[in-house]
Amino acid sequence: MAVRGLDQNEVAARVRAGFTNVSSRGSSRSFWHILRANLFTLFNAVVGASTVVLLLFGDWQDGLFGLTALANVLIGVLQEFRAKRLLDSLALLSATPARVMRDGMTTQIPTDQVVIDDLLVLRVGDQVPADAIIVSDVDLEIDESLLTGETDPVGKAVRTSVLSGSAVAAGHGTARVKQVGADSYSSRLTAEAKRFSLVNSELRNAANRIVRWVSWGLAPLIILVLNAQMQAAGGWDAMLQSGRWREVLIGTVASAASVIPQGLILMISISFALAAAKLARSEVLVQEIAAIEILARVDTICFDKTGTLTDGAIAFDAVHSVCDSPPPGWEAVLGCFGADDDANATARCLRDAFSAGALKPSSSVPFSSDRKWSALSIPQGPTIGTWVFGAPEIVLAGGKAHPVLEKELARLIRLGPRTLVLAHSDEELTETEVSAHRLTGLLQPIALVTFAEKIRPDAADTVAYFREQGVSLRVISGDNPQTAATIARQVGLVFDGAGYDARELPTDLDEMGQILETHSVFGRVTPIQKRQLVRALQQRGHVVAMTGDGVNDALAVKAADIGIAMGSGAAATKSVARMVLLDGQFSRLPKVVAEGRRVIVNIERVSKLFLTKSVYAILLSVAVGVLLWKFPFLPRQFAPTDGLTIGIPALFLALAVEQRPYRPGFLRRSLRFSIPAGVVTAMVLVGVLAYARLSGTYPARESATAAAIALSILGFWVLLVTSRPVTRGRVLLLFTLIIVLAGCFVVPVVRDFLDFALPSGQLVTVTFGVAAIGCIAIEIIFRRVSRQRGIDGQISIDDQISAVPPRP
């Protein structure tokens, strides 16, 4: 079996037994998860129930407000399902087949068709599809960076294990599969990370909190209003016997539906969806639309070095001479090491910097992670002899002291780049030494050669941007702490001391959090520790973002307030991330921050419109319930005032290009204005209705229309103050909306549809007079609230404070 692999009968038997490599490796949330998150909400339940009641017992026109809930669901589902489809297609394109030996022949098959005991044929660049045991190897080296974060390849010998998700970095070999599907290492590591949870959005939480408060008060409010409607219409007995209770029910539901800030929740969804579409054009895939807000609130970002600050590739850095009179042509020797067919990833970096010219080695020893050196023999010319390239502590072990080399090596170690030595001996390699992989002769160091990871060209500017914004940065890497610290300094991260070795981290989150407050760079961090570091920061009150690309980052990416994956990263990590940078450019993040801040500022502005409406609707319902009045408005009559003083202008305000640094307490600041403004509006409406009732000369339709006119005037004034500073475009919008709303009262067809009747006599004067007093009161409230914010050291609503522009 070790030579021929499995035959078809053995494969079929394992497939029947279920020993295949099929596992849940979806790249994103399922459609059911997306639908559940957007459909099963308290808001949808309340609005949906009210809509059903009106459709069953009233006119269909009165149930149109239910479209708000439907639109809210559709926006969220369509946007997130679009992200799911795109991410699934990316995962499909990146899926590589597995190479196995069956019936003595090497063949390629889909990874989910690999079975237990299959013989994998591993070559450079192959990704290991399942956990396996090495059967044979020729200088086989495995890159486990996606699993551990450690960038150095690991040498693998016969009978050692190789894990799914790792890749062949050098050499070749075969391995027998031992764990498949959900039992493999990468599947076990990501199983917990794939558990579904919603992103913690302050905007959405605030809206849900309002709906929850209102919902708790709906039952007593409905009872109060229902009793008032029955009493105002002749009493319970008379209404039940006459069958007119349906009319009463419609008025009661109208009052209940009016207190729910439907438009606010819809506006949040629209703002998020439009922002997500805008970011998609910049190669940023938002898997859950509320995630846009979170990055604007983040105060701490954790980076996985590899794949975020660097692209994971090794690059030649420099040559440091340590020999007074090196043999001529030694640079061409470096070219020979780079051009060797068996060169590892580090040596191949020399190909662009050095040319081998006419040099032809007569024999060579390939690099091995166990030996940590490679060698070649030059038979003639000025470079004749044996040349060795490898780790200084191995290559020069047992030789005489070299003070110049030791001093330079100590300096380079402090700086952190990967450092190898080029050494020379006049003696050539013998066949025995080549076959035994043994060094010979007295080696003289010629030069130290340094290598560094390729830093992403956008990393330094992006780090500088976040530092300017006051965002704390942490590098969390599975690599060597000193190497991680070197990269961090190169991209502009300022910190004291060296990288912290995570093997010395305590397990207690409090103690871990204290270390995080004083250290910025961590190396040798395991996947579990990455998640614990994120949780320790969250426990200390930080809003944490985590970026990464490997399977080793999946748990931390999931635990963070917002997880960000690179487009070239592991499918498991992209599946749990809230956001994916499709082109892997770190510089996309400032644009996301700017977009998130714009959404937050604009939603805070428009929330004052919707919350003012909820406050006056609640107070009006209580007033008519206590006074035993008929509720003055039909559900359809709220449509023009809501749409033209709140809904449509809110949409324009939500799209405004304005941003400022995030400040917590969005709901508190909104209610500070909305509650007193809502009280004033309710008092004006009750005043108009009371005058109409006390005069005894105005029909109910005229009273309701007078109240609707007063409500429209106050609504426009609330819009005016919350839109400040008033621009030319906003003035034009305001006048347009006033004209359209006036048409709802004077155009006969529209007026009849809305069941309005123009008021007459003194009612008109009283309506405009009381409304004018209300506008003055709202202006005073606005100025006092703005002045109070200035005293508190907060940003006034009409201060035009912009964030530092994102770097390109």
Side-chain angles (χ1 to χ4, degrees):
M1 188 168 63
V3 176
R4 295 183 54 81
L6 300 177
D7 59 35
Q8 293 304 316
N9 292 331
E10 292 170 321
V11 171
R14 285 160 175 76
V15 170
R16 287 193 299 271
F19 297 142
T20 61
N21 202 34
V22 177
S23 62
S24 178
R25 295 187 179 183
S27 62
S28 57
R29 290 194 289 156
S30 68
F31 179 77
W32 164 246
H33 281 155
I34 294 173
L35 184 62
R36 183 181 69 182
N38 288 278
L39 181 60
F40 298 123
T41 65
L42 181 59
F43 166 74
N44 289 340
V46 174
V47 176
S50 301
T51 303
V52 170
V53 170
L54 289 174
L55 292 177
L56 290 176
F57 301 107
D59 295 330
W60 64 268
Q61 299 97 318
D62 293 322
L64 292 179
F65 71 90
L67 294 176
T68 303
L70 179 62
N72 189 51
V73 173
L74 288 177
I75 289 170
V77 170
L78 291 177
Q79 169 62 34
E80 294 178 24
F81 186 65
R82 175 183 174 276
K84 167 188 166 56
R85 290 185 59 186
L86 178 57
L87 197 59
D88 286 346
S89 66
L90 290 175
L92 184 63
L93 290 174
S94 63
T96 55
R99 189 180 290 108
V100 297
M101 181 175 287
R102 290 180 177 175
D103 290 321
M105 298 181 62
T106 300
T107 183
Q108 290 188 346
I109 61 174
T111 56
D112 58 2
Q113 294 182 16
V114 173
V115 298
I116 282 185
D117 293 327
D118 251 331
L119 193 64
L120 302 175
V121 179
L122 303 176
R123 298 173 185 168
V124 173
D126 288 350
Q127 188 169 48
V128 180
D131 296 352
I133 301 295
I134 301 298
V135 173
S136 66
D137 82 290
V138 178
D139 297 318
L140 183 64
E141 295 183 4
I142 299 296
D143 177 4
E144 297 180 341
S145 59
L146 284 178
L147 301 176
T148 66
E150 173 63 68
T151 55
D152 291 331
V154 179
K156 294 292 183 179
V158 174
R159 291 188 294 276
T160 59
S161 63
V162 60
L163 300 175
S164 59
S166 57
V168 180
H172 56 87
T174 59
R176 184 176 298 119
V177 174
K178 289 301 179 184
Q179 298 285 352
V180 292
D183 294 328
S184 66
Y185 176 81
S186 60
S187 294
R188 295 196 308 271
L189 185 64
T190 59
E192 181 179 355
K194 288 193 175 184
R195 292 176 183 171
F196 171 74
S197 65
L198 281 172
V199 68
N200 183 26
S201 163
E202 183 186 6
L203 294 181
R204 187 169 59 193
N205 291 345
N208 289 338
R209 193 178 304 126
I210 294 168
V211 174
R212 187 164 59 250
W213 292 343
V214 170
S215 299
W216 280 108
L218 271 182
L221 188 67
I222 288 174
I223 294 173
L224 185 66
V225 174
L226 180 61
N227 178 66
Q229 305 304 292
M230 288 293 193
Q231 298 296 341
W236 285 82
D237 291 340
M239 294 301 293
L240 292 175
Q241 291 175 5
S242 65
R244 293 178 57 201
W245 58 269
R246 295 173 182 265
E247 300 175 10
V248 172
L249 183 63
I250 293 172
T252 303
V253 173
S255 68
S258 66
V259 305
I260 302 171
Q262 307 165 36
L264 175 60
I265 296 173
L266 179 60
M267 198 56 57
I268 291 174
S269 295
I270 291 175
S271 298
F272 281 152
L274 293 176
K278 182 177 178 180
L279 290 173
R281 294 193 292 269
S282 299
E283 300 295 316
V284 178
L285 178 65
V286 181
Q287 296 206 72
E288 188 180 343
I289 56 178
I292 297 169
E293 170 208 340
I294 307 302
L295 194 55
R297 296 199 285 113
V298 161
D299 61 22
T300 304
I301 297 182
C302 297
F303 305 100
D304 175 39
K305 174 184 67 66
T306 305
T308 303
L309 299 180
T310 70
D311 61 9
I314 299 295
F316 167 73
D317 177 42
V319 172
H320 310 267
S321 178
V322 292
C323 179
D324 293 334
S325 55
W330 62 271
E331 295 96 339
V333 174
L334 287 174
C336 283
F337 278 108
D340 191 348
D341 291 338
D342 292 325
N344 66 348
T346 302
R348 287 197 296 270
C349 297
L350 298 171
R351 292 178 179 177
D352 294 333
F354 301 96
S355 173
L359 285 185
K360 298 294 183 183
S362 58
S363 58
S364 64
V365 177
F367 181 85
S368 164
S369 294
D370 292 333
R371 294 189 300 274
K372 297 189 183 301
W373 56 267
S374 58
L376 53 82
S377 187
I378 305 295
Q380 57 190 2
T383 55
I384 188 172
T386 297
W387 293 84
V388 182
F389 188 55
E393 68 275 14
I394 303 297
V395 172
L396 303 176
K400 65 179 183 179
H402 300 282
V404 175
L405 176 138
E406 292 170 1
K407 181 179 179 180
E408 182 66 9
L409 184 59
R411 183 184 72 85
L412 293 173
I413 289 176
R414 287 195 300 272
L415 295 176
R418 181 177 301 179
T419 304
L420 301 180
V421 67
L422 176 68
H424 174 256
S425 171
D426 292 332
E427 302 179 25
E428 293 188 49
L429 288 170
T430 65
E431 292 185 8
T432 301
E433 290 165 341
V434 170
S435 60
H437 294 171
R438 189 175 67 242
L439 291 174
T440 184
L442 183 63
L443 292 169
Q444 173 68 28
I446 303 302
L448 291 173
V449 184
T450 54
F451 300 84
E453 290 188 69
K454 286 185 178 179
I455 296 176
R456 291 184 179 273
D458 55 0
D461 283 347
T462 307
V463 167
Y465 169 80
F466 284 118
R467 287 184 57 204
E468 290 168 358
Q469 297 299 303
V471 178
S472 179
L473 306 176
R474 299 288 185 276
V475 176
I476 301 178
S477 173
D479 217 332
N480 181 283
Q482 188 61 50
T483 302
T486 299
I487 298 296
R489 287 193 178 94
Q490 290 176 348
V491 298
L493 196 63
V494 178
F495 57 94
D496 296 327
Y500 193 98
D501 193 328
R503 290 173 293 189
E504 301 175 5
L505 277 174
T507 56
D508 181 74
L509 290 183
D510 288 332
E511 297 178 12
M512 191 180 290
Q514 294 174 8
I515 294 173
L516 280 162
E517 297 292 351
T518 56
H519 292 78
S520 299
V521 180
F522 297 82
R524 304 296 186 201
V525 188
T526 67
I528 299 298
Q529 283 180 315
K530 287 187 177 184
R531 181 176 61 182
Q532 294 301 92
L533 286 168
V534 168
R535 288 178 172 173
L537 286 166
Q538 291 171 325
Q539 187 170 289
R540 298 179 76 85
H542 294 287
V543 180
V544 183
M546 175 72 196
T547 69
D549 66 337
V551 176
N552 63 305
D553 302 316
L555 295 178
V557 166
K558 176 63 182 294
D561 293 284
I562 178 170
I564 305 165
M566 298 298 167
S568 59
T573 305
K574 288 186 287 188
S575 73
V576 299
R578 309 293 187 181
M579 197 172 291
V580 180
L581 307 182
L582 296 177
D583 57 2
Q585 292 189 30
F586 192 36
S587 57
R588 301 295 187 188
L589 292 185
K591 184 174 291 186
V592 180
V593 171
E595 193 64 22
R597 287 178 173 177
R598 185 191 64 79
V599 170
I600 289 176
V601 170
N602 292 336
I603 290 299
E604 181 173 336
R605 184 189 297 275
V606 302
S607 69
K608 295 176 175 62
L609 302 176
F610 292 104
L611 295 180
T612 298
K613 183 238 180 177
S614 292
V615 172
Y616 77 65
I618 291 173
L619 294 177
L620 179 62
S621 298
V622 172
V624 299
V626 172
L627 297 172
L628 301 181
W629 291 354
K630 180 182 177 182
F631 192 78
F633 302 117
L634 294 172
R636 76 189 79 167
Q637 291 173 333
F638 273 122
T641 53
D642 282 1
L644 296 172
T645 67
I646 301 176
I648 293 175
L651 179 60
F652 282 91
L653 292 176
L655 299 177
V657 181
E658 182 181 350
Q659 54 177 292
R660 59 174 179 251
Y662 165 76
R663 295 175 296 134
F666 141 74
L667 182 57
R668 183 183 66 253
R669 290 192 300 274
S670 296
L671 291 176
R672 190 182 295 177
F673 169 79
S674 300
I675 290 177
V679 170
V680 169
T681 303
M683 292 174 64
V684 168
L685 294 177
V686 172
V688 171
L689 293 171
Y691 175 80
R693 289 180 63 87
L694 292 174
S695 66
T697 58
Y698 301 104
R701 289 179 64 195
E702 286 192 27
S703 300
T705 305
I709 292 173
L711 179 60
S712 301
I713 295 172
L714 291 172
F716 279 126
W717 198 263
V718 171
L719 172 61
L720 178 65
V721 298
T722 55
S723 300
R724 292 176 184 170
V726 179
T727 63
R728 182 179 301 175
R730 291 175 183 176
V731 171
L732 179 62
L733 173 65
L734 185 63
F735 275 110
T736 302
L737 294 174
I738 290 174
I739 293 172
V740 173
L741 186 54
C744 294
F745 293 104
V746 299
V747 176
V749 175
V750 180
R751 186 177 63 217
D752 293 342
F753 175 83
L754 297 172
D755 203 25
F756 282 144
L758 289 176
S760 58
Q762 291 295 320
L763 182 58
V764 177
T765 304
V766 171
T767 298
F768 282 93
V770 175
I773 296 173
C775 291
I776 295 172
I778 289 173
E779 180 68 28
I780 294 172
I781 291 168
F782 172 78
R783 293 180 180 275
R784 290 188 61 183
V785 169
S786 297
R787 187 163 54 249
Q788 182 61 44
R789 286 192 181 133
I791 294 173
D792 293 343
Q794 295 178 316
I795 301 174
S796 175
I797 189 172
D798 55 350
D799 288 340
Q800 291 299 287
I801 298 177
S802 298
V804 178
R807 293 170 180 263

